[in-house]
Amino acid sequence: MISFLGSSRLDVAFTAVPSSSTTYSSGSVIGFNTIKTNIGNAFNRSNYRFTAPSTGLYIFSWSIALHVSYIGNNNLVINGSTFHTVHCQKTYQQCGSTVTVWLNKNDQVWVTSAYSSIYVYATYSSFSGWKLN
């Protein structure tokens, strides 16, 4: 984990990647369990969820690298409800999205597979988020 000089106790930002390439069945939470950055300790690598430490505007960005045999549908989920869905074709590709959302304190955010099984390449997949204000 990286430490930044001058960072405030109010700063919130994370980046996590999967530790290994894995197939996820429909509706499964994608296992972003290797933390690259976790300023504010709001990302939990045990359940792969971000928990908003305070109310505010947040940005989330995720990218899933896919195997050619799988359609790469995936969701950004907030408190159990799909906020945004990304559809990827059956090719070796990397797809994802970036969204801005207002969260209340203790809202949770995570990424799931959607509609079908997907094979996620760990080396090229990531999930990041940060508080804008």
Side-chain angles (χ1 to χ4, degrees), residues 12-131:
V12 178
F14 76 93
T15 295
V17 299
S19 60
S20 62
S21 299
T22 305
T23 300
Y24 294 92
S25 61
S26 178
S28 296
V29 179
I30 306 299
F32 295 101
N33 58 358
T34 301
I35 294 175
K36 299 290 189 172
T37 304
N38 197 10
I39 300 167
N41 295 313
F43 185 80
N44 183 326
R45 71 171 168 200
S46 297
N47 66 8
Y48 323 123
R49 294 178 186 206
F50 171 84
T51 302
S54 60
T55 299
L57 187 61
Y58 290 83
I59 299 171
F60 294 95
S61 182
W62 69 103
S63 182
I64 307 289
L66 303 168
H67 187 276
V68 69
S69 300
Y70 293 84
I71 296 173
N73 299 320
N74 56 85
N75 296 322
L76 183 77
V77 177
I78 300 175
N79 297 328
S81 297
T82 299
F83 181 79
H84 188 73
T85 300
V86 176
H87 174 74
C88 304
Q89 296 297 320
K90 279 188 172 182
T91 61
Y92 287 109
Q93 71 171 320
Q94 190 155 350
C95 64
S97 190
T98 301
V99 299
T100 305
V101 60
W102 186 266
L103 295 179
N104 293 312
K105 183 177 181 176
N106 295 322
D107 282 349
Q108 292 191 331
V109 180
W110 63 94
V111 178
T112 67
S113 58
Y115 313 125
S116 62
S117 295
I118 63 174
Y119 184 88
V120 176
Y121 282 111
T123 308
Y124 308 107
S125 300
S126 64
F127 179 32
S128 298
W130 57 96
K131 186 174 182 185

